[in-house]
Structures are given as structure tokens and as C-alpha cells.
């Protein structure tokens, strides 16, 4: 049994609308060993290791259902068991995850195991540990060799996993802030593997790290960390503080203690979480030991007077006391029967106690600090305390060391409340915790004394949101209200667009419309990330990583996400929801890759975009696969786009008050028209949109209709949509590789990135509609990772539309032979009736484009399907019809690495045939035949 492949989906995917992990699991010989055959020993051992599995309902949807399933005669397969174990391991670590789905694959013994996760690394580790646990429970005769290391111990592995998970999970304080933000509908992004969180998107974002906010003054944090300076400032205001001195040596510490008067406290100058503190020191020897403990955490040590009373934490947010908690150090209470060690075990049986921050309370530990506390009390681990005797194991009351918390917010005296607020304001914190010692918090410090021993710049919230006793308090909500006062925006409008063809142009059109409307848009596309029209990151940026880049940028106030099939299949979407989602079309491309073999499967993947749309789903009513997606969206509005004004379904949708965008014929041409709630809104004549080449480029007419529909659904005014469409063109600068036109040669060049049959067919149709005095020539190719039938479909889409065909390949062969792709295309062209004399096979892209450019004459139309866009466009614009070495000139403009491989220019082109292959030390070329 082994994991063949793993995919981590960070957002919505075709498996679920939340993060999941998918494993391809090979059971091998264990396919013949379902749980029914493994027997009760296996099932009982599994339940003993993870008792929480007894609560899993599985298909029975009731507690115990999963155990019942395993104990049936046939039982269930181990892939299904692994799913449940991976979920339960995360539950044990404190995460609330429940979703799982296991299905068999085409190959016997192989399964797709999908399970929900809360944190990426924690989820991955859960799957690996689940596999090891299952293997350890198998009879040795069928246990996979090497699957369980010698001496492997389940309890130790479980605890190590819990600690590993907690190191990577959000701490309780940060988690409470995230939960409070989610309740308010405020999105969040985790910016590192610790506690740095971005709340909100774009220019509306605020940041928190633990409970320090982006608005917390740096100087206030510095002051709170300087215990001596904090004490001086508070004392100068007349607030109750102990007397203290800062020391550097043992001798100075002893002298300070004697000046202040015993008992005293020693603590690190800049410590936290109660580390290094020793209290109630009554002798010089104890001060020396306390000094040594504090020096482990700080070079300087504070000696201060000891204040009698209970330890209280008073939480102040934005100038208001939010919660007050009395903290009690970790301890056990004697019963006259059990030893201290046994009492610790009994206390740790409390289901509220766990490892670290796993649960509300932390397990007690019989470690060095506990032993020291016992020794001071004249006890040891094997001592039997008297009934009712409290035995403290820590000197400080931090929850992380086993302390308990009791809420006292409702009973705190008003003087103590005001004192806490004044203290936090004096330091300058927006969120602060006051550590206050008082014998009775219900009485004023003015009457009974007490004092502030510390101000915390990053106070923990766990004791307030989940006290051991008393009323839980909403500590995080006031922080969120401070950062985002009611009515303050936190989200930017997000639009996502997907489809086989047209998504890049549509996304660029929409971003341009938004910019013309006054927004600062962030855009992700196949050629990079753009912020306000400027490319900030080059490359194919259509997955979750680029979405996070855009939403993290503090300048943007709108986001347009081109969402490609590859990103959806690899990692899902980068956002849990979008305002507007659009699917342009579903055509044959990338089939046969990553388990997607049919158009229906491809449509299911792309459907994710509209499944997560909350305001409007924009669908192509002229594409049946896209039209069916209307049954899978919960968006408030459904907008159909159609180029058929007689579309019956769209007509009924409009009559019912629905939203639509239709292409309508008029005296002056074709009009893009919007419909919504019974309103009829003529938008723009298609010939007025530069990107449509006076309406001839019908695919860009459709792209413009989608961009207009999405903009309208985002609330953009009609005039701004018109202005955006009228000023968007398909220059290489604005839309590289998207129907770029270059007409400064005697012939016209159309330049496009089309790489599937549908795209090639649309551009071939356009070429046929353009007025051309001469010949039509095409440079044709297909990606090497497409199926042979896809490459042949590309050839058929172009066949009969051009006078000459130059067949090439991409630079990246994708495991194809050097001339395999162009030969497949050329052979299919011949099969489709294209004369062999009209076909040239030139594998190298630069040579193929150079040949086509030299072949072209005045009045011709040259359509180039390019792959290396920037290099090829330079080749087009730098070409000189007079016979200058254009290819060499284009290569010279590339980086030094490319310049190093420049070869002699290709000789003047003549028609080339399939049989003209020659090979030499430079690689592969095609030479003219003598008969030509």
C-alpha cells in the first residue's frame, strides 16, 4: 500500500468548495484484504488507537456508522479507512474537519482518496501518518515491507504529530481573530507559517500578528517590552505598581532584594509568557537561584517587591475593558490517597486538557520546574498531599503551562476597570493586557492595595474566549470592530473568468473597463500579474498563487482573475468565492491530461468558477456544456450571453426579468445589448470596438459581450463600459498574442497564441472575412502535449482556408520527436485535400516565421500562430522585406544566452515539401527540392 500521487487544493475545486487533499493510493495486494477479511482484531486495534472514529457516521450518517461499515461481512477497503483516519488525526490535533470521499480508479487496487484539511502541512502529515498506522495494524504476513520502521511507537507518533500540527496551526488568539472576521464576512489570508494574517483584500486590508495589529504603535510595543520603563511611566501617573530595580549580576540582585525588602520577585527584563519568573523569594539564596533562572531568558533581570493577591489579566481593546480573568497556576489538590504524580495523571484525564494549545486547557507536566516547586513546598513526586491541600506545580498562572482561568468580568470593581484602561492608554497600545495582582478584584485597589506587574502588547485571548470557569467573552470581536468599523469595506470586487478560448482577452478587457471606471484593478493572466495596467510579475499566472498576489497588493480595489484549467486541476481556486464568475466556452483542448479525457469532465472542472460565484454567474448560452452549468450555481443572478437573438431559452429568461447580453441586428450593424429586470439597454455597436476589427472578429465580439456583462454585474455604469470597450484594442502591448495586427509591411500580419482547433478555426474564419487582395498564408502549430487527434483537429480547422501552410513545432517538444508535431499536422492537411505543394514543414519556430514573412508579398494576409510571443513579435516587426537577415536581427535582440546560439539566416524561401528533411550538426532543417 503506497501513495502514488498527492494534490493539495488550496481552494474550491471540482472535489469540494473548500481545501482538500487528494491522494492516489495503490493498495497492491491489500486490494484483496478489505476490513471484513482483516477481522475484528484490525478494527478493534484501530479504534483503540483513535477512539474518536467511533463518532464517524460515514454513509449511515449517525455515530458508529463507520465502525458498523468496517465490521460488515464485506467490510470496506483500506483506501476508505485511510480517509477516515486522516480526518480523525486532524480532529485529535484540534481541527474541525469532516469531509472525505474515496472512489476506485480505473486500475484495480487504485483509489482516489479525498479528505478535508485545515492547514496544508498538517493535512499532508495526517495522510502519511494514517498510512503508517494502518500498516502497523496489519498482520505481519501481509504488511508491506518497510512500511513501519522498527521500534515505531503509535502514542509517541501521535503526540509528535499533534505538536507538529500545533506549531503550524494558528494559535488560539489568532484563530479567534480569524473566526471573528469570518463572522463579519471579512476574508483573510495567512501571510506566513506563523501568525501574520491579512484581514480584508487590496487597499482595504489590515494586518494582525497574534494580537498585535497593524495600527499598534511600534513605540508602544517597545515600551511594553521594557518592564522597567513601563513601571516608571505608570508610577509617574499614580497607578499602582511594585517598586523594582534592574540588575546585571547576582550580587546586584541580592543587594536590590535587601533594599526593597523581602519577599521579592525576579523576572527577565524583556520576557513573556511567564518564562523565567520566580515569585515570593524570601532569602538571598533564593534570589541567586531566581536570578539564574531569569538570566536564561534575558541579560538583564528585574527584582521587584512581591505583591500579595491573585493574578488577574485585564484585557483592554480600543480604550475599553473587554474581559477580566483570574488566573491560577497549574496545581493538583490532594485527597490523602494519591501521590503528586498520580494526581497529575488524574487531572490530565480531563478531556478539556491537551497538548499545547490543542484544547481549552493544557496538560500538567512533572518537569524540572514542577520538581523545583515541589521541593520548595517540602514535597516530591511520590509524596501524598493531605486532603484538600493545594500543591502548585508552577509559580506563574499561564494557561500554556497548565494554569486555569476564571472569568471575573462581571464583578470587577469600576476603579480596577478604569485603572486598566488608563494603564494601557499610558503605554499607547490599541490592544493591551494588564497583569494585575489583587486579593479581591471586586474591591478597589485604592482600598485593599494591589498592583500592576506588567503590560502585555500581545495579550493572549484563550483565557477569555474559553475560560476554565465562568462566561466566555468575545475578545476578538472588538478588535475586528476597531480595525473595520461597521460600514467599512473589507472586500474588493472579484471577477473570475475561465473557458477554453478567449479568457485572456476577456480578462484584459474587463480590467481595462474597470480602470476606465476609476478602479485600480489587479489582473492575473497567462502572461503575468498586472497591477493598474503594469506587469509586476511575468509568466503564466492563472492559479491560486497569483490570485493571492493580487489580493495582497495594497493598491488594488478590484480583482480580475483569469482561471485556467491547469491551475484548477493542480490546486483549485485561490479564493473561496468570487462576486462574478464567467465561463466562455468548453472546447477540446488539454484532453488526456491529469485524468480529464472528455469534454464533460473538462466542463465539470471549469464549472468551479460559477459554483463559487455569489453575485452573478455569466454563461455562454450558445455552448451547451456551459449552458448546463446554470443548474450548479447559487449566484444571486444568472446572466446568459448569446450571439443568437432568436435563442429561445434566453428569450424566456429575459421575459422573466433575468439578466442577459445579446447581439442584435440593426440598421447600422450589430448592437451589443444588455437586459436586466425587464430593462432593455443598448450598449455599443460592434464596429465601434477596435478589438473586433470593425465587427469582423466575431470571437472578440463575444469576448466584449462577456466583459460588458461582467462589468455590469460588478456595478460598473454603462458609460464606463462603453468607454472601456471603445478604448481597448488588440495591440501587442495591451493584449500580447491575442489577435495582434501588424500592417506596416506591404502585407498584413495577424499574430495569435491560438493553440487548439477551436481557436484556429475562429482565426481562420476571420481571415476569410477580411478583404485580402493577395494570398492567405498561415504558420500553423500545436503543443506537443496534446493528443494526436487534437493536432489533427487543428489541421482540419485550417484546411482549405489558406493558400499556403507553414507547419512548425514549439520550442518545448514535450516528449515529442523534433519534427513529429509538424508532420502530423502536415499529413492531416494532405488528407483534408490540401496540395502537398502548398505545405512547408519547418520545425523551428523562428525559421518557420522567417520563411512565411519572406514568402509574403504585397496584398497578402499572413496569420501566425506563435508560441514564444515576445520573440516572435519582435521577429515580425523587425522584418525587412528587402531581404535583410530578419531572423538573425530578431535573435540579436534577445538575451545573451539566446544570442549565443544564433545561426546563419535561412536562405530565401521556396515551397518546401514533407520529403525535404536533411540533418546536419545543427539539428533539423528542411531544404527546397530541385523540382520546386
Amino acid at each position: 500500500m503506497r501513495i502514488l500521487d498527492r494534490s493539495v487544493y488550496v481552494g474550491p475545486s471540482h472535489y469540494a468548495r473548500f481545501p482538500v487533499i487528494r491522494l492516489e493510493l495503490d493498495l497492491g495486494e491489500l486490494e484483496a484484504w478489505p476490513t471484513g477479511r482483516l477481522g475484528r482484531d484490525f478494527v478493534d486495534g484501530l479504534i483503540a488507537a483513535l477512539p474518536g472514529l467511533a463518532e464517524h457516521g460515514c454513509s449511515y450518517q449517525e455515530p458508529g456508522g463507520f465502525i458498523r461499515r468496517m465490521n460488515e461481512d464485506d467490510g470496506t477497503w483500506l483506501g476508505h479507512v485511510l480517509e477516515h483516519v486522516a480526518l480523525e488525526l486532524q480532529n485529535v490535533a484540534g481541527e474541525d474537519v469532516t469531509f472525505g470521499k474515496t472512489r476506485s480508479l480505473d486500475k484495480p487496487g487504485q483509489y482516489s482518496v479525498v479528505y478535508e484539511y485545515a492547514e496544508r502541512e498538517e493535512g499532508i502529515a495526517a495522510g502519511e501518518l494514517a498510512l503508517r498506522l494502518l500498516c502497523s495494524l496489519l498482520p505481519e504476513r501481509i504488511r508491506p515491507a518497510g512500511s513501519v520502521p522498527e521500534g515505531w511507537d503509535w502514542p509517541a507518533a501521535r503526540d509528535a504529530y499533534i505538536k507538529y500540527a500545533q506549531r503550524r496551526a494558528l494559535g488560539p488568539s489568532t484563530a479567534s481573530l480569524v473566526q471573528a472576521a469570518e463572522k463579519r464576512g471579512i476574508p483573510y489570508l495567512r501571510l506566513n507559517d506563523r501568525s501574520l494574517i491579512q484581514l480584508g483584500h487590496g487597499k482595504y486590508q489590515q494586518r494582525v500578528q497574534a494580537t498585535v495589529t497593524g495600527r499598534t504603535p511600534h513605540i508602544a510595543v517597545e515600551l511594553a517590552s521594557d518592564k522597567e520603563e513601563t513601571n516608571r511611566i505608570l508610577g509617574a501617573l499614580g497607578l499602582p505598581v511594585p517598586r523594582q530595580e534592574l540588575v546585571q549580576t547576582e550580587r546586584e540582585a541580592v543587594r536590590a532584594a535587601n533594599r526593597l525588602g523581602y519577599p521579592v520577585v525576579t523576572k527577565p527584563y524583556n520576557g513573556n509568557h511567564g518564562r523565567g519568573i520566580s515569585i515570593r523569594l524570601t532569602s538571598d539564596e533564593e534570589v541567586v537561584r531566581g536570578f539564574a533562572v531569569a538570566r536564561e531568558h534575558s541579560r538583564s533581570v528585574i527584582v521587584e517587591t512581591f505583591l500579595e493577591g491573585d493574578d488577574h489579566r485585564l484585557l483592554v481593546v480600543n480604550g475599553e475593558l473587554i474581559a477580566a480573568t483570574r488566573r491560577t497556576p497549574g496545581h493538583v489538590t490532594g485527597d490523602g490517597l494519591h501521590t503528586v504524580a498520580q494526581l497529575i495523571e488524574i487531572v490530565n484525564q480531563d478531556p478539556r486538557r491537551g497538548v499545547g494549545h490543542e484544547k481549552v486547557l493544557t496538560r500538567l507536566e512533572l518537569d524540572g520546574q514542577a520538581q523545583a516547586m515541589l521541593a520548595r513546598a517540602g514535597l516530591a513526586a511520590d509524596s501524598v498531599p493531605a486532603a484538600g491541600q493545594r500543591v502548585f506545580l508552577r509559580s506563574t498562572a499561564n494557561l500554556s503551562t497548565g494554569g486555569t482561568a476564571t472569568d471575573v468580568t462581571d464583578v470587577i470593581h469600576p476603579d480596577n476597570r478604569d485603572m486598566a484602561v488608563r494603564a494601557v492608554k499610558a503605554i499607547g497600545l490599541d490592544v493591551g493586557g494588564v497583569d494585575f495582582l489583587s486579593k479581591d478584584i471586586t474591591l478597589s485597589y485604592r482600598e485593599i492595595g494591589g498592583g500592576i506587574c506588567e503590560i502585555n502588547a500581545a495579550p493572549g485571548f484563550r483565557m477569555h474566549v474559553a475560560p476554565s470557569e465562568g462566561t466566555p467573552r468575545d475578545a476578538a470581536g472588538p478588535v475586528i470592530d476597531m480595525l473595520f468599523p461597521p460600514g467599512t469595506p473589507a472586500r474588493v470586487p472579484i471577477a473570475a473568468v475561465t473557458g477554453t478560448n478567449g479568457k485572456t482577452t476577456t480578462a484584459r478587457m474587463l480590467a481595462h473597463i474597470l480602470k476606465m471606471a476609476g478602479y485600480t484593478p489587479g489582473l492575473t493572466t497567462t502572461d503575468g500579474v498586472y497591477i493598474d495596467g503594469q506587469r509586476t510579475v511575468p509568466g503564466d499566472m492563472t492559479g491560486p498563487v497569483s490570485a493571492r498576489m493580487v489580493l495582497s497588493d495594497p493598491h488594488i480595489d478590484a480583482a480580475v482573475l483569469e482561471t485556467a484549467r491547469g491551475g484548477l486541476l493542480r490546486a483549485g481556486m485561490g479564493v473561496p468565492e468570487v462576486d462574478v464568475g464567467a465561463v466562455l466556452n468548453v472546447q477540446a483542448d488539454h484532453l488526456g491530461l491529469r485524468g480529464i479525457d472528455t469534454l464533460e469532465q473538462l466542463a465539470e472542472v471549469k464549472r468551479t468558477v460559477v459554483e463559487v460565484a455569489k453575485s452573478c454567474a455569466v454563461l455562454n448560452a450558445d455552448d451547451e456544456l456551459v449552458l448546463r452549468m446554470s443548474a450548479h450555481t447559487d449566484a444571486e443572478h444568472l446572466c446568459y450571453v448569446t450571439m443568437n437573438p432568436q435563442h429561445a431559452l434566453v428569450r424566456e429568461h429575459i421575459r422573466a426579468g433575468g439578466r442577459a447580453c445579446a447581439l442584435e441586428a440593426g440598421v447600422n450593424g450589430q448592437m451589443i445589448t444588455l437586459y436586466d429586470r425587464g430593462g432593455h439597454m443598448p450598449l455599443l455597436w460592434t464596429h465601434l470596438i477596435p478589438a473586433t476589427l470593425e465587427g469582423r472578429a466575431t470571437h472578440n465580439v463575444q469576448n466584449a459581450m462577456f466583459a460588458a456583462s461582467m462589468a455590469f454585474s460588478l456595478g460598473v455604469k454603462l458609460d464606463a463600459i462603453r468607454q472601456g470597450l471603445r478604448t481597448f484594442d488588440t495591440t501587442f502591448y495591451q493584449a500580447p498574442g491575442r489577435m495582434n495586427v501588424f500592417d506596416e509591411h506591404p502585407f498584413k500580419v495577424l499574430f495569435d497564441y491560438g493553440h487548439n482547433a477551436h481557436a484556429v478555426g475562429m482565426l481562420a474564419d476571420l481571415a476569410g472575412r477580411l478583404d485580402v487582395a493577395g494570398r492567405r498564408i498561415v504558420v500553423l502549430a500545436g503543443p506537443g502535449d496534446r493528443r494526436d487527434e487534437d493536432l489533427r483537429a487543428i489541421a482540419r480547422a485550417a484546411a482549405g482556408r489558406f493558400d499556403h501552410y507553414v507547419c512548425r513545432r514549439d520550442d518545448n517538444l514535450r516528449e515529442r520527436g523534433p519534427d513529429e508535431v509538424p508532420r502530423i499536422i502536415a499529413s492531416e492537411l494532405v488528407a483534408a485535400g490540401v496540395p502537398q505543394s502548398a505545405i512547408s514543414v519547418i520545425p523551428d519556430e523562428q525559421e518557420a516565421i522567417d520563411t512565411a514573412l519572406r514568402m509574403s508579398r504585397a496584398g497578402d494576409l499572413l496569420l501566425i500562430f506563435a508560441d514564444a510571443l515576445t520573440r516572435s513579435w519582435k521577429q515580425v516587426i523587425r522584418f525587412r522585406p528587402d531581404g535583410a537577415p530578419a531572423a538573425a536581427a530578431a535573435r540579436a535582440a534577445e538575451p545573451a544566452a539566446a544570442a549565443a546560439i544564433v545561426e546563419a539566416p535561412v536562405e530565401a524561401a521556396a515551397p518546401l515539401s514533407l520529403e525535404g528533411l536533411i540533418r546536419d550538426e545543427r539539428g533539423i532543417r528542411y531544404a527546397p527540392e530541385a523540382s520546386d
Side-chain angles (χ1 to χ4, degrees), residues 35 53-76 80 83-84:
T35 57
L53 288 172
E55 298 300 317
H56 289 217
C58 197
S59 56
Y60 291 103
Q61 299 183 348
E62 62 182 16
F66 177 58
I67 297 177
R68 178 180 170 188
R69 179 78 181 276
M70 287 194 293
N71 284 327
E72 290 174 350
D73 291 341
D74 294 335
T76 187
H80 181 209
E83 166 207 320
H84 281 268

Side-chain angles (χ1 to χ4, degrees), residues 508 521-525 527-536 550 736:
R508 286 180 173 275
L523 168 68
T524 67
T525 71
D527 68 321
V529 171
Y530 291 77
I531 303 298
D532 200 24
Q534 300 297 315
R535 188 166 71 169
T536 57
V550 164

Side-chain angles (χ1 to χ4, degrees), residues 752-777:
D752 199 87
Y753 182 61
H755 52 274
N756 57 61
H758 183 248
V760 169
M762 289 191 299
L763 268 294
D765 288 342
L766 172 62
R769 286 192 293 271
L770 294 176
D771 296 329
V772 177
R775 300 171 299 167
R776 291 176 172 84
I777 302 168

Side-chain angles (χ1 to χ4, degrees), residues 189 232 652 720 836:
L189 295 173
R232 188 190 65 77
E652 292 303 315
Q836 192 172 24

Side-chain angles (χ1 to χ4, degrees), residues 267-546:
K267 59 185 180 183
Y269 170 69
N270 54 2
N272 54 35
H273 295 292
R275 299 185 183 98
I277 297 178
S278 301
I279 67 171
R280 206 190 294 266
L281 307 179
T282 58
S283 68
D284 293 355
E285 293 76 15
E286 288 184 348
V287 169
V288 169
R289 289 195 294 269
F291 176 85
V293 172
R295 276 295 295 267
E296 294 176 3
H297 303 276
S298 174
R299 294 184 62 182
S300 299
V301 174
I302 288 176
V303 181
E304 69 180 22
T305 55
F306 174 73
L307 299 177
E308 292 284 350
D310 293 328
D311 182 5
H312 296 84
R313 167 62 61 80
L314 312 179
L315 177 65
V316 176
V317 176
N318 200 26
E320 181 181 351
L321 185 109
I322 300 301
T325 301
R326 182 177 67 247
R327 300 184 296 180
T328 306
H331 65 280
V332 294
T333 302
D335 59 4
L337 300 174
H338 296 89
T339 66
V340 171
Q342 291 171 335
L343 290 170
I344 290 174
E345 291 183 8
I346 293 171
V347 170
N348 284 340
Q349 291 175 6
D350 185 342
R352 296 178 300 167
R353 291 189 181 269
V355 179
H357 294 300
E358 171 196 355
K359 296 183 179 179
V360 173
L361 298 174
T362 301
R363 293 169 60 88
L364 297 177
E365 298 289 343
L366 188 58
D367 54 12
Q369 292 186 53
Q371 298 280 8
M373 290 292 294
L374 290 174
R376 290 184 61 187
L379 300 171
D382 58 358
S383 299
V384 179
Q389 180 184 357
R390 245 187 194 184
V391 179
F392 287 97
L393 304 174
R394 286 292 188 275
S395 60
T396 57
N398 297 79
L399 268 65
S400 58
T401 56
T404 58
T406 303
D407 179 74
V408 294
T409 308
D410 293 333
V411 298
I412 185 173
H413 193 280
D415 286 351
N416 298 337
R417 178 187 297 268
D418 294 341
M419 173 271 301
V421 171
R422 286 184 63 207
V424 170
K425 283 186 175 180
I427 301 302
L429 294 168
D430 56 348
V431 180
V434 179
D435 287 347
F436 180 64
L437 296 175
S438 174
K439 296 177 181 179
D440 188 344
I441 198 69
T442 66
L443 301 177
S444 171
Y445 73 92
R446 302 178 192 275
E447 300 174 9
I448 66 170
I452 301 169
C453 56
E454 192 170 335
I455 302 293
N456 293 272
F461 286 175
R462 180 165 68 142
M463 68 187 77
H464 305 300
V465 300
S468 313
E469 300 177 31
T471 305
R473 302 293 170 175
D474 179 13
V479 178
I480 300 303
D481 290 339
M482 176 186 69
L483 296 176
F484 298 93
T488 301
R491 294 177 174 271
V492 301
I494 303 173
V497 56
T498 191
T500 304
N501 294 307
K503 53 187 178 292
T504 299
T505 300
T506 302
R508 286 180 173 275
M509 279 182 174
L510 178 57
H512 182 72
I513 291 171
L514 291 170
K515 183 173 175 61
M516 292 296 100
Y519 288 88
T520 301
L523 168 68
T524 67
T525 71
T526 51
D527 68 321
V529 171
Y530 291 77
I531 303 298
D532 200 24
Q534 300 297 315
R535 188 166 71 169
T536 57
V537 181
D540 186 348
M541 306 299 288
T542 55
V545 172
S546 57

